[in-house]
PDB file of all heavy atoms in Angstrom:
ATOM      1  N   PHE S 417     -10.865  10.648 -14.179  1.00  0.00           N
ATOM      2  CA  PHE S 417     -12.077  10.784 -13.375  1.00  0.00           C
ATOM      3  C   PHE S 417     -11.707  10.912 -11.920  1.00  0.00           C
ATOM      4  O   PHE S 417     -10.927  10.075 -11.427  1.00  0.00           O
ATOM      5  CB  PHE S 417     -13.083   9.541 -13.722  1.00  0.00           C
ATOM      6  CG  PHE S 417     -14.493   9.843 -13.130  1.00  0.00           C
ATOM      7  CD1 PHE S 417     -15.391  10.418 -13.942  1.00  0.00           C
ATOM      8  CD2 PHE S 417     -14.794   9.455 -11.834  1.00  0.00           C
ATOM      9  CE1 PHE S 417     -16.722  10.702 -13.484  1.00  0.00           C
ATOM     10  CE2 PHE S 417     -16.031   9.675 -11.401  1.00  0.00           C
ATOM     11  CZ  PHE S 417     -16.984  10.251 -12.240  1.00  0.00           C
ATOM     12  N   TYR S 418     -12.360  11.824 -11.180  1.00  0.00           N
ATOM     13  CA  TYR S 418     -11.975  12.001  -9.817  1.00  0.00           C
ATOM     14  C   TYR S 418     -13.349  11.958  -9.013  1.00  0.00           C
ATOM     15  O   TYR S 418     -14.242  12.471  -9.379  1.00  0.00           O
ATOM     16  CB  TYR S 418     -11.498  13.419  -9.572  1.00  0.00           C
ATOM     17  CG  TYR S 418     -10.255  13.816 -10.365  1.00  0.00           C
ATOM     18  CD1 TYR S 418     -10.284  14.142 -11.726  1.00  0.00           C
ATOM     19  CD2 TYR S 418      -9.039  13.971  -9.731  1.00  0.00           C
ATOM     20  CE1 TYR S 418      -9.162  14.469 -12.419  1.00  0.00           C
ATOM     21  CE2 TYR S 418      -7.947  14.398 -10.392  1.00  0.00           C
ATOM     22  CZ  TYR S 418      -8.029  14.609 -11.744  1.00  0.00           C
ATOM     23  OH  TYR S 418      -6.805  15.016 -12.478  1.00  0.00           O
ATOM     24  N   LEU S 419     -13.165  11.329  -7.794  1.00  0.00           N
ATOM     25  CA  LEU S 419     -14.114  11.445  -6.673  1.00  0.00           C
ATOM     26  C   LEU S 419     -13.423  12.202  -5.633  1.00  0.00           C
ATOM     27  O   LEU S 419     -12.333  11.596  -5.062  1.00  0.00           O
ATOM     28  CB  LEU S 419     -14.669  10.139  -6.293  1.00  0.00           C
ATOM     29  CG  LEU S 419     -15.405   9.390  -7.239  1.00  0.00           C
ATOM     30  CD1 LEU S 419     -15.908   7.984  -6.914  1.00  0.00           C
ATOM     31  CD2 LEU S 419     -16.727  10.142  -7.611  1.00  0.00           C
ATOM     32  N   TRP S 420     -13.996  13.386  -5.090  1.00  0.00           N
ATOM     33  CA  TRP S 420     -13.282  14.101  -4.060  1.00  0.00           C
ATOM     34  C   TRP S 420     -14.295  13.975  -2.754  1.00  0.00           C
ATOM     35  O   TRP S 420     -15.432  14.021  -2.845  1.00  0.00           O
ATOM     36  CB  TRP S 420     -13.338  15.606  -4.412  1.00  0.00           C
ATOM     37  CG  TRP S 420     -12.455  15.852  -5.683  1.00  0.00           C
ATOM     38  CD1 TRP S 420     -12.857  15.908  -6.932  1.00  0.00           C
ATOM     39  CD2 TRP S 420     -11.046  16.042  -5.579  1.00  0.00           C
ATOM     40  NE1 TRP S 420     -11.806  16.125  -7.721  1.00  0.00           N
ATOM     41  CE2 TRP S 420     -10.698  16.299  -6.932  1.00  0.00           C
ATOM     42  CE3 TRP S 420     -10.103  16.100  -4.574  1.00  0.00           C
ATOM     43  CZ2 TRP S 420      -9.241  16.518  -7.292  1.00  0.00           C
ATOM     44  CZ3 TRP S 420      -8.816  16.337  -4.993  1.00  0.00           C
ATOM     45  CH2 TRP S 420      -8.412  16.518  -6.262  1.00  0.00           C
ATOM     46  N   HIS S 421     -13.550  13.926  -1.569  1.00  0.00           N
ATOM     47  CA  HIS S 421     -14.314  13.883  -0.424  1.00  0.00           C
ATOM     48  C   HIS S 421     -14.261  15.249   0.276  1.00  0.00           C
ATOM     49  O   HIS S 421     -15.008  15.631   1.223  1.00  0.00           O
ATOM     50  CB  HIS S 421     -13.936  12.809   0.663  1.00  0.00           C
ATOM     51  CG  HIS S 421     -12.586  12.920   1.188  1.00  0.00           C
ATOM     52  ND1 HIS S 421     -12.189  13.631   2.297  1.00  0.00           N
ATOM     53  CD2 HIS S 421     -11.471  12.168   0.759  1.00  0.00           C
ATOM     54  CE1 HIS S 421     -10.944  13.394   2.429  1.00  0.00           C
ATOM     55  NE2 HIS S 421     -10.480  12.662   1.511  1.00  0.00           N
ATOM     56  N   THR S 422     -13.525  16.267  -0.305  1.00  0.00           N
ATOM     57  CA  THR S 422     -13.543  17.631   0.103  1.00  0.00           C
ATOM     58  C   THR S 422     -13.453  18.601  -1.072  1.00  0.00           C
ATOM     59  O   THR S 422     -12.656  18.288  -2.054  1.00  0.00           O
ATOM     60  CB  THR S 422     -12.451  18.010   1.101  1.00  0.00           C
ATOM     61  OG1 THR S 422     -11.152  18.046   0.461  1.00  0.00           O
ATOM     62  CG2 THR S 422     -12.324  17.043   2.287  1.00  0.00           C
ATOM     63  N   VAL S 423     -14.231  19.756  -0.998  1.00  0.00           N
ATOM     64  CA  VAL S 423     -14.086  20.664  -2.131  1.00  0.00           C
ATOM     65  C   VAL S 423     -12.740  21.363  -2.129  1.00  0.00           C
ATOM     66  O   VAL S 423     -12.177  21.721  -3.061  1.00  0.00           O
ATOM     67  CB  VAL S 423     -15.224  21.711  -1.953  1.00  0.00           C
ATOM     68  CG1 VAL S 423     -14.991  22.760  -2.957  1.00  0.00           C
ATOM     69  CG2 VAL S 423     -16.513  20.951  -2.201  1.00  0.00           C
ATOM     70  N   GLU S 424     -12.136  21.494  -0.744  1.00  0.00           N
ATOM     71  CA  GLU S 424     -10.912  22.042  -0.698  1.00  0.00           C
ATOM     72  C   GLU S 424      -9.708  21.345  -1.359  1.00  0.00           C
ATOM     73  O   GLU S 424      -8.813  21.952  -2.039  1.00  0.00           O
ATOM     74  CB  GLU S 424     -10.413  22.206   0.783  1.00  0.00           C
ATOM     75  CG  GLU S 424     -11.319  23.278   1.591  1.00  0.00           C
ATOM     76  CD  GLU S 424     -12.708  22.468   2.077  1.00  0.00           C
ATOM     77  OE1 GLU S 424     -12.866  21.330   1.892  1.00  0.00           O
ATOM     78  OE2 GLU S 424     -13.510  23.240   2.632  1.00  0.00           O
ATOM     79  N   GLY S 425      -9.833  20.064  -1.268  1.00  0.00           N
ATOM     80  CA  GLY S 425      -8.782  19.256  -2.039  1.00  0.00           C
ATOM     81  C   GLY S 425      -8.949  19.409  -3.587  1.00  0.00           C
ATOM     82  O   GLY S 425      -7.961  19.610  -4.212  1.00  0.00           O
ATOM     83  N   MET S 426     -10.119  19.519  -4.082  1.00  0.00           N
ATOM     84  CA  MET S 426     -10.405  19.664  -5.529  1.00  0.00           C
ATOM     85  C   MET S 426      -9.993  21.067  -5.927  1.00  0.00           C
ATOM     86  O   MET S 426      -9.269  21.244  -6.991  1.00  0.00           O
ATOM     87  CB  MET S 426     -11.826  19.513  -5.825  1.00  0.00           C
ATOM     88  CG  MET S 426     -12.223  19.748  -7.245  1.00  0.00           C
ATOM     89  SD  MET S 426     -13.991  19.411  -7.696  1.00  0.00           S
ATOM     90  CE  MET S 426     -14.829  20.780  -6.709  1.00  0.00           C
ATOM     91  N   ASN S 427     -10.268  22.155  -5.167  1.00  0.00           N
ATOM     92  CA  ASN S 427      -9.805  23.394  -5.475  1.00  0.00           C
ATOM     93  C   ASN S 427      -8.405  23.532  -5.423  1.00  0.00           C
ATOM     94  O   ASN S 427      -7.667  24.328  -6.153  1.00  0.00           O
ATOM     95  CB  ASN S 427     -10.453  24.534  -4.573  1.00  0.00           C
ATOM     96  CG  ASN S 427     -11.999  24.608  -4.978  1.00  0.00           C
ATOM     97  OD1 ASN S 427     -12.296  24.346  -6.140  1.00  0.00           O
ATOM     98  ND2 ASN S 427     -12.685  25.054  -4.147  1.00  0.00           N
ATOM     99  N   SER S 428      -7.657  22.911  -4.469  1.00  0.00           N
ATOM    100  CA  SER S 428      -6.259  23.028  -4.314  1.00  0.00           C
ATOM    101  C   SER S 428      -5.639  22.285  -5.581  1.00  0.00           C
ATOM    102  O   SER S 428      -4.582  22.851  -6.048  1.00  0.00           O
ATOM    103  CB  SER S 428      -5.804  22.197  -3.037  1.00  0.00           C
ATOM    104  OG  SER S 428      -4.453  22.195  -3.071  1.00  0.00           O
ATOM    105  N   PHE S 429      -6.090  21.240  -6.013  1.00  0.00           N
ATOM    106  CA  PHE S 429      -5.646  20.631  -7.239  1.00  0.00           C
ATOM    107  C   PHE S 429      -5.829  21.612  -8.470  1.00  0.00           C
ATOM    108  O   PHE S 429      -4.829  21.678  -9.245  1.00  0.00           O
ATOM    109  CB  PHE S 429      -6.348  19.242  -7.545  1.00  0.00           C
ATOM    110  CG  PHE S 429      -6.102  18.774  -8.791  1.00  0.00           C
ATOM    111  CD1 PHE S 429      -4.843  18.025  -9.019  1.00  0.00           C
ATOM    112  CD2 PHE S 429      -6.977  18.814  -9.878  1.00  0.00           C
ATOM    113  CE1 PHE S 429      -4.442  17.454 -10.238  1.00  0.00           C
ATOM    114  CE2 PHE S 429      -6.645  18.302 -11.165  1.00  0.00           C
ATOM    115  CZ  PHE S 429      -5.474  17.589 -11.371  1.00  0.00           C
ATOM    116  N   LEU S 430      -6.938  22.158  -8.623  1.00  0.00           N
ATOM    117  CA  LEU S 430      -7.211  22.896  -9.796  1.00  0.00           C
ATOM    118  C   LEU S 430      -6.464  24.219  -9.706  1.00  0.00           C
ATOM    119  O   LEU S 430      -5.971  24.686 -10.737  1.00  0.00           O
ATOM    120  CB  LEU S 430      -8.756  23.321  -9.883  1.00  0.00           C
ATOM    121  CG  LEU S 430      -9.570  22.096 -10.285  1.00  0.00           C
ATOM    122  CD1 LEU S 430     -11.105  22.431 -10.154  1.00  0.00           C
ATOM    123  CD2 LEU S 430      -9.291  21.685 -11.728  1.00  0.00           C
ATOM    124  N   TRP S 431      -6.404  24.915  -8.563  1.00  0.00           N
ATOM    125  CA  TRP S 431      -5.802  26.320  -8.524  1.00  0.00           C
ATOM    126  C   TRP S 431      -4.430  26.360  -7.843  1.00  0.00           C
ATOM    127  O   TRP S 431      -3.865  27.461  -7.961  1.00  0.00           O
ATOM    128  CB  TRP S 431      -6.787  27.196  -7.716  1.00  0.00           C
ATOM    129  CG  TRP S 431      -8.297  27.125  -8.324  1.00  0.00           C
ATOM    130  CD1 TRP S 431      -9.266  26.538  -7.733  1.00  0.00           C
ATOM    131  CD2 TRP S 431      -8.584  27.717  -9.513  1.00  0.00           C
ATOM    132  NE1 TRP S 431     -10.538  26.736  -8.582  1.00  0.00           N
ATOM    133  CE2 TRP S 431     -10.007  27.408  -9.755  1.00  0.00           C
ATOM    134  CE3 TRP S 431      -8.059  28.405 -10.530  1.00  0.00           C
ATOM    135  CZ2 TRP S 431     -10.826  27.830 -10.776  1.00  0.00           C
ATOM    136  CZ3 TRP S 431      -8.729  28.895 -11.622  1.00  0.00           C
ATOM    137  CH2 TRP S 431     -10.108  28.515 -11.706  1.00  0.00           C
ATOM    138  N   GLY S 432      -4.015  25.313  -7.362  1.00  0.00           N
ATOM    139  CA  GLY S 432      -2.690  25.346  -6.646  1.00  0.00           C
ATOM    140  C   GLY S 432      -1.518  24.913  -7.486  1.00  0.00           C
ATOM    141  O   GLY S 432      -0.368  24.842  -6.948  1.00  0.00           O
ATOM    142  N   GLY S 433      -1.768  24.654  -8.814  1.00  0.00           N
ATOM    143  CA  GLY S 433      -0.573  24.453  -9.607  1.00  0.00           C
ATOM    144  C   GLY S 433      -0.539  22.952 -10.195  1.00  0.00           C
ATOM    145  O   GLY S 433       0.118  22.818 -11.255  1.00  0.00           O
ATOM    146  N   ALA S 434      -0.996  21.976  -9.586  1.00  0.00           N
ATOM    147  CA  ALA S 434      -0.926  20.606 -10.078  1.00  0.00           C
ATOM    148  C   ALA S 434      -1.612  20.423 -11.516  1.00  0.00           C
ATOM    149  O   ALA S 434      -1.139  19.678 -12.289  1.00  0.00           O
ATOM    150  CB  ALA S 434      -1.533  19.600  -8.999  1.00  0.00           C
ATOM    151  N   PHE S 435      -2.728  21.065 -11.642  1.00  0.00           N
ATOM    152  CA  PHE S 435      -3.443  20.926 -12.885  1.00  0.00           C
ATOM    153  C   PHE S 435      -2.830  21.649 -14.022  1.00  0.00           C
ATOM    154  O   PHE S 435      -3.118  21.503 -15.206  1.00  0.00           O
ATOM    155  CB  PHE S 435      -4.929  21.487 -12.620  1.00  0.00           C
ATOM    156  CG  PHE S 435      -5.834  21.369 -13.774  1.00  0.00           C
ATOM    157  CD1 PHE S 435      -6.120  20.124 -14.309  1.00  0.00           C
ATOM    158  CD2 PHE S 435      -6.490  22.512 -14.370  1.00  0.00           C
ATOM    159  CE1 PHE S 435      -6.940  19.877 -15.352  1.00  0.00           C
ATOM    160  CE2 PHE S 435      -7.407  22.358 -15.375  1.00  0.00           C
ATOM    161  CZ  PHE S 435      -7.601  21.036 -15.944  1.00  0.00           C
ATOM    162  N   GLN S 436      -1.838  22.549 -13.737  1.00  0.00           N
ATOM    163  CA  GLN S 436      -1.147  23.416 -14.741  1.00  0.00           C
ATOM    164  C   GLN S 436      -0.325  22.479 -15.645  1.00  0.00           C
ATOM    165  O   GLN S 436      -0.326  22.826 -16.895  1.00  0.00           O
ATOM    166  CB  GLN S 436      -0.231  24.448 -14.122  1.00  0.00           C
ATOM    167  CG  GLN S 436       0.119  25.485 -15.034  1.00  0.00           C
ATOM    168  CD  GLN S 436      -0.889  26.327 -15.639  1.00  0.00           C
ATOM    169  OE1 GLN S 436      -1.775  26.819 -14.968  1.00  0.00           O
ATOM    170  NE2 GLN S 436      -0.928  26.315 -17.027  1.00  0.00           N
ATOM    171  N   ARG S 437       0.216  21.510 -15.208  1.00  0.00           N
ATOM    172  CA  ARG S 437       1.021  20.543 -15.991  1.00  0.00           C
ATOM    173  C   ARG S 437       0.322  20.042 -17.175  1.00  0.00           C
ATOM    174  O   ARG S 437       0.782  20.155 -18.368  1.00  0.00           O
ATOM    175  CB  ARG S 437       1.735  19.528 -15.258  1.00  0.00           C
ATOM    176  CG  ARG S 437       2.884  19.867 -14.294  1.00  0.00           C
ATOM    177  CD  ARG S 437       3.590  18.784 -13.643  1.00  0.00           C
ATOM    178  NE  ARG S 437       2.688  18.042 -12.773  1.00  0.00           N
ATOM    179  CZ  ARG S 437       2.471  18.170 -11.528  1.00  0.00           C
ATOM    180  NH1 ARG S 437       3.153  19.180 -10.907  1.00  0.00           N
ATOM    181  NH2 ARG S 437       1.754  17.472 -10.738  1.00  0.00           N
ATOM    182  N   PRO S 438      -0.839  19.379 -17.001  1.00  0.00           N
ATOM    183  CA  PRO S 438      -1.518  18.861 -18.167  1.00  0.00           C
ATOM    184  C   PRO S 438      -2.039  19.926 -19.040  1.00  0.00           C
ATOM    185  O   PRO S 438      -2.040  19.766 -20.341  1.00  0.00           O
ATOM    186  CB  PRO S 438      -2.580  17.989 -17.672  1.00  0.00           C
ATOM    187  CG  PRO S 438      -2.790  18.317 -16.220  1.00  0.00           C
ATOM    188  CD  PRO S 438      -1.487  18.933 -15.737  1.00  0.00           C
ATOM    189  N   THR S 439      -2.408  21.098 -18.576  1.00  0.00           N
ATOM    190  CA  THR S 439      -2.972  22.217 -19.342  1.00  0.00           C
ATOM    191  C   THR S 439      -1.785  22.787 -20.204  1.00  0.00           C
ATOM    192  O   THR S 439      -2.040  23.245 -21.239  1.00  0.00           O
ATOM    193  CB  THR S 439      -3.722  23.264 -18.559  1.00  0.00           C
ATOM    194  OG1 THR S 439      -2.802  23.941 -17.670  1.00  0.00           O
ATOM    195  CG2 THR S 439      -4.889  22.652 -17.927  1.00  0.00           C
TER     196      THR S 439
END
Side-chain angles (χ1 to χ4, degrees):
F417 191 91
Y418 302 76
L419 291 175
W420 298 93
H421 64 86
T422 72
V423 173
E424 294 83 4
M426 180 175 66
N427 285 340
S428 176
F429 172 77
L430 289 170
W431 305 107
F435 186 59
Q436 192 63 49
R437 285 188 298 272
T439 60

